[in-house]
Amino acid sequence: MEIKCIIDMTKVYALVANGKGGVGKSFFSQILIEYWTYRGLLPYVAQVDSQARLQELNQLDVLTIPSKPELLRADPSEQLGRFRDITNRLITGDPGQPFVLDIGANEEGNVSHWMGHSEFSEELRDLGRQPVVFIVYTAEQEAIEKAGQTARSFQKVLPDAHFVFVENRRFGAVSKLHPGSSAKKAFDKWVAPLEQKASKLVMPAVLGQSYSRFEASRTRFLEVIGLSPEEIMSRTGLERADARIARGDVGVWVRAMLKSFDELFGQEPLV
């Protein structure tokens, strides 16, 4: 993990983005939300996505803006107008609480275009907010290319933003890619130059894909590690020994992510 600056998390306006789907954006947004609540904060959450995963997982007032690609042809102005509540939520929100905006696949261009036209960076500056753009990617060519393209689109409209590249190691580490592979070449072209001025965070894979057992029951990460074996067996159908293993696997991942966030935000670990 490489940290290029310490960020006051109470002033953060976080964007989580990558134009490609399936790279772990909502997964990352969820653990970020849980980290902030673990730290005693009450984050404001918005998502541009039709799936509404964050609404289902959290007992928060989540602003959900559905994806509506048909508006591009029917009413282009309304395609951008659907984001106006993002500004409204920002203006009325508690200045001592962080924000997170989870941007679904293929929406990064629409959101960045809207932010440029609405002078969103000026709103953030006037309100004393620090924009932090988390770019999540996996060790796949398309995910890496989209990461670089997404970062560049937000650099143009959020000049004060600090960028954090989040390497999701679900499909392996970028450092293990073959030097001649298309994915490694994409990384050297699209991401490596940008990472020189950004922070980098590694999101490890959950061992054994154990968290997938809890997704159907909409169980949050930190909730998993507090469940008894009996509760896990009831929610997942696992045998007792496997229930303990799954809880341990999720616990290892959660502790790694909390440690990374502590370093990013300059926090001492909680006992």
Side-chain angles (χ1 to χ4, degrees):
M1 179 171 179
E2 300 175 12
I3 303 298
K4 297 295 173 65
C5 75
I6 300 298
I7 302 165
D8 181 352
M9 61 184 177
T10 66
K11 301 297 183 184
V12 165
Y13 193 100
L15 291 81
V16 182
N18 184 317
K20 184 182 184 302
V23 299
K25 293 185 295 293
S26 294
F27 208 73
F28 178 81
S29 294
Q30 179 59 33
I31 190 60
L32 178 61
I33 292 166
E34 292 190 37
Y35 171 76
W36 277 333
T37 56
Y38 169 73
R39 280 286 178 179
L41 299 172
L42 188 63
Y44 293 91
V45 182
Q47 58 183 354
V48 183
D49 199 332
S50 296
Q51 298 190 49
R53 292 189 186 98
L54 300 180
Q55 178 69 69
E56 295 169 355
L57 278 167
N58 297 284
Q59 296 178 339
L60 299 169
D61 179 17
V62 178
L63 171 63
T64 299
I65 302 170
S67 296
K68 295 183 178 180
E70 69 277 5
L71 289 176
L72 275 175
R73 299 184 68 179
D75 188 351
S77 63
E78 188 55 30
Q79 172 75 325
L80 296 182
R82 64 196 169 105
F83 301 130
R84 63 176 65 94
D85 282 342
I86 294 175
T87 297
N88 295 338
R89 184 67 62 92
L90 172 66
I91 292 171
T92 59
D94 184 336
Q97 301 294 345
F99 279 74
V100 59
L101 172 60
D102 181 70
I103 303 171
N106 302 313
E107 286 282 10
E108 80 291 344
N110 294 325
V111 174
S112 63
H113 186 61
W114 169 78
M115 286 184 171
H117 279 274
S118 67
E119 299 182 343
F120 195 69
S121 63
E122 294 294 328
E123 292 283 6
L124 293 173
R125 193 176 298 124
D126 290 345
L127 293 169
R129 290 286 177 179
Q130 170 61 55
V132 180
V133 182
F134 291 94
I135 303 293
V136 184
Y137 66 95
T138 56
E140 304 168 290
Q141 179 182 353
E142 184 183 1
I144 291 168
E145 291 174 346
K146 287 287 189 179
Q149 293 164 6
T150 300
R152 286 168 171 82
S153 70
F154 283 108
Q155 278 182 329
K156 295 176 182 178
V157 298
L158 296 173
D160 299 333
H162 180 71
F163 283 77
V164 181
F165 283 87
V166 181
E167 181 187 342
N168 181 358
R169 291 188 173 173
R170 178 184 177 190
F171 302 124
V174 168
S175 61
K176 299 297 184 181
L177 291 171
H178 188 279
S181 68
S182 58
K184 181 61 167 63
K185 291 177 181 178
F187 178 81
D188 291 342
K189 176 182 178 180
W190 288 102
V191 175
L194 298 176
E195 282 191 339
Q196 295 177 13
K197 295 183 179 180
S199 296
K200 181 176 179 180
L201 188 153
V202 170
M203 183 164 70
V206 180
L207 296 173
Q209 298 185 347
S210 291
Y211 180 70
S212 63
R213 302 282 191 170
F214 300 92
E215 291 185 295
S217 61
R218 300 293 188 266
T219 306
R220 295 183 299 278
F221 298 117
L222 287 170
E223 186 181 358
V224 169
I225 61 179
L227 294 175
S228 68
E230 292 78 13
E231 290 171 319
I232 294 174
M233 292 166 65
S234 174
R235 295 190 189 200
T236 65
L238 290 171
E239 297 292 336
R240 187 179 186 87
D242 293 333
R244 289 184 178 276
I245 291 171
R247 183 180 63 184
D249 289 344
V250 175
V252 169
W253 183 85
V254 166
R255 286 189 289 274
M257 294 303 298
L258 297 186
K259 181 176 183 293
S260 292
F261 287 136
D262 279 343
E263 293 176 8
L264 180 65
F265 297 118
Q267 300 294 307
E268 292 295 327
L270 292 177
V271 177

